[in-house]
Amino acid sequence: MALTRLVLICLLVHLCCFGVLMIRSVSGANETHFFKWEVEYMYGAPDCLTNIVMGINGQFPGPTIKAKAGDTVVVDLTNKLLTEGVVIHWHGITQRGTPWADGTASISQCAINPGETFNYTFKVDKAGTYFYHGHYGMQRSAGLYGLLIVDVEEGKEEPFKYDGEFSLLLSDWWHKGVHEQEVGLSANPMTWIGEPQSLLINGKGQYNCSLAAAHNSGSGGLPECNFRGNENDTCAPNILRVKPNKTYRLRVASTTALVSLNLAVRNHKMLMVEADGNYLQKFSVKDFDIYSGETYSVLFKTDQNPRNNYWIYVGVRGREPRTPQGLAILDYQSTTPTKQPTLAPKPTPGWNDYQRSKLFSKKLLAHSESPKPPANHHRRIFLLNTQNRINGYTKWAINNVSLTLPPTPYLGSIKYGINESFDQNSPPDTFDLNTYDIMSPPSNPNAAYGNGVYTLELNNTIDVILQNANMLKAGDSEIHPWHLHGHDFWVLGYGEGKFSSEKDEKKLNLKNPPLRNTVVIFPYGWTAIRFVADNPGVWPFHCHIEPHLHMGMGVVFAEGVDRLGDIPNEALSCGLTAKMLMSGSGGKMLTSGSGPPKTFNPIYILYIFIFIFSYF
């Protein structure tokens, strides 16, 4: 017995040492972050006027997720809305291996019904500034959004240094509810809600008060804002507290539903260093444009008079502004937080100074270590952006097709061969390049509804030429920021007028184009992008202006869906895939959520041998 006990003691010591080493190894590995969220409507006063907002766990904006590259994020999302579904898109996360977690209703998953819970599990594989938002109906306009920040993994460094960081989430806000907006857009004739009443920075804005209007025309007689230096007031400007002579990183994400913005920090220059999770060649700016769906990181030095505070301000670009600037305060901490800046915000650059916007966009170039694009493309798709009519209803269309999503999500339909769930004819790859006049309203304004898919060969290089045109009204062409799910793409160039393969091909930048997931097309112009179709799944590519997508301005790409493994049942529980589940046909599928893989914890070894030792 003594010998047996001695052997077990030696074995236990050995395994304890091994277990400690294993535990250390595991603790230094990538982490899994667990969240339980409930989405519901709640009362809020983002700009001092009480209204209905969408919140998560009672918060508006939603909670910020922070992780490191390589970590896994697990969100159990419960729909506490009473009468509508919900999904959340993780904007900028490529969802490699988990396309059902992309959070797009009717594309990657079924909408989460009231009372139901959906498990989002995915890996954040690249450091950068990201965010999340609702992708069902117009729930982003209702306030369903939040930040997602991914730091570099342990042992790696970013190509710039800073002493601290802040994050700003930019959005626009209306006093009319989102359902009224949706009804107006779908009416005949269309009823346009108009420009937003306020601009929000981290969910706070100022409306109809002197703080917002003091530096905007027409401010006479407005009451004082509900701001007495208490940053916890519902509409008090955010306060960013800094120390003098330091370098700070400012992460900025735009989840606006409509407007393009320009951001500046009074008296401070900024150094552009990151866009959409990809590093840039550094260049200095006094202000910068940011379109819906874009994210940036800038560096700034606190090298101004430390006895003063300074405004951080955003204003409308690309649309005639009828909305006051959004405000935050840079507080040098040597002053009291109650002290408002003495220097007024400068006016936002002219809303229609597109030349200024184009010069900024063309300065965005990839960092020297950024991946280079393939030299050639396998397929080129032209996407003409037009405003049209269908049976008298105003719509947006791409190549004369206005996107309408099917009841059965594409991902399940394609994976399990349910061909009757959507149009099996591919949308057109181009429009009439020779005769279409992009400078005038369409000679035939009629378009058609469609829900076909562009099927891409796996690992092929795809070029997309986004072509802007005149709207229904003469002399009108709008800015459109386009976002691609599941991929980053190279922005090869911008141009005026109609794209010409003969003249414009040689202008494309294949040397150092920036990698992005969102890009703008300017009025009456074109933008060229290139990406590799190397991520099996079904991915929307659409205008990130909420009303435009709602009215049909998007397309759907599918690639390598046959290479995917099992799709979680909860992503398929609607439409024809639900019938397939009930009948038990269609191949093997998961029976529960797409939760993280179960791993063996080495501490179990210790428990086993402690039990054995205690027995002897």
Side-chain angles (χ1 to χ4, degrees):
M1 176 67 73
L3 181 60
T4 302
R5 188 169 185 173
L6 180 62
V7 170
L8 282 173
I9 290 173
C10 294
L11 183 59
L12 178 60
V13 170
H14 177 78
L15 286 172
C16 283
C17 295
F18 173 76
V20 168
L21 290 174
M22 285 292 293
I23 292 168
R24 287 178 177 174
S25 174
V26 170
S27 66
N30 297 323
E31 296 182 29
T32 299
H33 306 267
F34 295 92
F35 303 92
K36 286 188 178 295
W37 285 359
E38 294 183 346
V39 175
E40 59 189 332
Y41 285 109
M42 52 186 270
Y43 283 107
D47 59 2
C48 283
L49 186 70
T50 300
N51 216 319
I52 300 295
V53 302
M54 290 192 82
I56 298 175
N57 294 352
Q59 290 181 237
F60 166 77
T64 295
I65 292 177
K66 294 206 73 174
K68 292 182 179 179
D71 286 356
T72 296
V73 172
V74 181
V75 178
D76 282 330
L77 187 77
T78 300
N79 180 2
K80 302 288 282 188
L81 308 175
L82 298 178
T83 58
E84 60 191 285
V86 70
V87 295
I88 287 186
H89 169 56
W90 314 93
H91 188 107
I93 305 302
T94 57
Q95 300 292 350
R96 291 186 179 275
T98 54
W100 49 83
D102 189 46
T104 49
S106 293
I107 299 174
S108 63
Q109 70 170 100
C110 300
I112 308 165
N113 291 322
E116 292 182 348
T117 298
F118 186 89
N119 175 273
Y120 288 105
T121 296
F122 55 91
K123 181 176 286 189
V124 289
D125 53 3
K126 188 170 62 172
T129 304
Y130 307 101
F131 62 103
Y132 60 85
H133 61 81
H135 215 291
Y136 180 72
M138 292 180 62
Q139 291 176 347
R140 179 157 54 94
S141 295
L144 184 52
Y145 43 70
L147 283 163
L148 199 170
I149 305 300
V150 183
D151 291 319
V152 293
E153 54 265 53
E154 292 289 346
K156 287 195 176 182
E157 293 186 354
E158 297 188 275
F160 44 82
K161 303 286 187 181
Y162 52 94
D163 301 303
E165 72 172 55
F166 302 95
S167 298
L168 300 181
L169 183 62
L170 311 180
S171 53
D172 39 14
W173 187 250
W174 286 261
H175 293 159
K176 288 187 177 180
V178 64
H179 298 120
E180 186 173 352
Q181 297 182 44
E182 291 176 340
V183 171
L185 293 173
S186 303
N188 184 9
M190 183 186 76
T191 302
W192 175 238
I193 193 175
E195 304 304 308
Q197 276 66 65
S198 54
L199 303 177
L200 308 184
I201 299 179
N202 290 343
K204 294 184 175 186
Q206 298 77 41
Y207 165 73
N208 200 28
C209 57
S210 59
L211 180 61
H215 312 298
N216 294 270
S217 60
S219 61
L222 291 177
E224 288 292 322
C225 284
N226 179 25
F227 172 57
R228 300 291 181 269
N230 179 5
E231 61 186 303
N232 293 319
D233 286 349
T234 59
C235 60
N238 284 267
I239 299 174
L240 280 59
R241 293 187 170 88
V242 297
K243 295 180 180 179
N245 301 312
K246 300 289 185 181
T247 297
Y248 290 90
R249 179 181 189 169
L250 187 63
R251 298 179 183 265
V252 186
S254 176
T255 187
T256 57
L258 176 67
V259 299
S260 306
L261 297 173
N262 179 274
L263 183 142
V265 183
R266 190 66 161 91
N267 276 27
H268 292 72
K269 289 184 178 180
M270 295 172 283
L271 196 66
M272 310 295 301
V273 294
E274 178 225 339
D276 296 352
N278 297 285
Y279 298 128
L280 297 169
Q281 291 185 24
K282 301 173 188 174
F283 65 99
S284 180
V285 295
K286 293 181 179 178
D287 58 76
F288 64 91
D289 292 337
I290 180 168
Y291 303 97
S292 177
E294 292 187 328
T295 68
Y296 289 104
S297 283
V298 298
L299 303 181
F300 68 92
K301 293 183 179 180
T302 49
D303 54 5
Q304 297 301 299
N305 185 343
R307 292 187 296 275
N308 293 329
N309 286 340
Y310 301 87
W311 287 116
I312 301 169
Y313 49 99
V314 294
V316 174
R317 296 274 278 140
R319 306 180 65 85
E320 188 172 356
R322 295 181 177 88
T323 310
Q325 290 176 320
L327 302 171
I329 294 175
L330 191 68
D331 171 32
Y332 265 68
Q333 289 192 326
S334 55
T335 66
T336 60
T338 56
K339 181 178 179 181
Q340 292 187 16
T342 54
L343 292 174
K346 289 186 176 181
T348 298
W351 70 272
N352 56 356
D353 187 354
Y354 295 118
Q355 197 57 36
R356 191 181 196 278
S357 301
K358 293 171 187 176
L359 288 173
F360 168 74
S361 294
K362 291 176 181 179
K363 287 181 180 178
L364 297 166
L365 299 172
H367 188 270
S368 58
E369 297 178 5
S370 183
K372 300 291 189 292
N376 300 294
H377 62 272
H378 295 98
R379 181 178 177 184
R380 175 170 283 172
I381 300 172
F382 291 84
L383 299 180
L384 175 67
N385 295 229
T386 55
Q387 192 181 48
N388 297 78
R389 290 194 183 95
I390 302 178
N391 300 325
Y393 293 88
T394 302
K395 297 293 178 183
W396 289 95
I398 303 302
N399 293 349
N400 220 42
V401 177
S402 184
L403 180 65
T404 57
L405 297 175
T408 304
Y410 290 109
L411 186 66
S413 295
I414 297 173
K415 171 66 177 175
Y416 299 109
I418 307 175
N419 296 333
E420 63 270 31
S421 66
F422 66 94
D423 187 354
Q424 295 299 298
N425 296 313
S426 177
D429 270 21
T430 188
F431 61 99
D432 193 341
L433 288 163
N434 296 321
T435 62
Y436 192 93
D437 182 7
I438 67 163
M439 305 303 294
S440 303
S443 56
N444 178 4
N446 296 313
Y449 293 117
N451 59 20
V453 171
Y454 290 91
T455 301
L456 310 178
E457 290 292 329
L458 192 63
N459 296 319
N460 271 10
T461 298
I462 309 299
D463 277 10
V464 177
I465 309 297
L466 291 162
Q467 178 67 64
N468 213 343
N470 201 98
M471 297 164 59
L472 287 170
K473 179 183 175 183
D476 253 347
S477 182
E478 288 192 0
I479 276 179
H480 300 290
W482 275 75
H483 171 57
L484 177 59
H485 293 227
H487 305 77
D488 282 347
F489 51 73
W490 292 274
V491 182
L492 302 185
Y494 306 86
E496 312 289 337
K498 189 162 32 176
F499 181 86
S500 166
S501 297
E502 292 180 2
K503 292 186 297 183
D504 295 323
E505 195 85 34
K506 58 187 177 183
K507 299 177 184 178
L508 301 181
N509 175 16
L510 298 180
K511 180 182 177 182
N512 53 8
L515 263 176
R516 306 294 304 266
N517 61 57
T518 305
V519 70
V520 63
I521 47 170
F522 294 104
Y524 301 111
W526 57 264
T527 297
I529 68 169
R530 177 169 293 179
F531 69 96
V532 179
D534 59 356
N535 189 8
V538 184
W539 311 107
F541 182 41
H542 61 88
C543 179
H544 210 261
I545 292 175
E546 191 88 315
H548 292 184
L549 174 59
H550 187 72
M551 298 166 70
M553 198 172 198
V555 298
V556 177
F557 296 138
E559 63 205 58
V561 177
D562 60 313
R563 304 289 187 92
L564 292 172
D566 298 327
I567 298 175
N569 286 1
E570 58 185 344
L572 306 170
S573 58
C574 61
L576 297 178
T577 48
K579 292 183 180 180
M580 180 186 67
L581 290 177
M582 292 176 66
S583 67
S585 61
K588 181 183 176 183
M589 291 171 287
L590 299 183
T591 56
S592 61
S594 52
K598 303 296 187 293
T599 56
F600 181 75
N601 192 331
I603 201 161
Y604 296 156
I605 299 174
L606 302 184
Y607 293 156
I608 292 169
F609 279 91
I610 288 172
F611 173 77
I612 295 172
F613 180 74
S614 63
Y615 175 78
F616 284 100

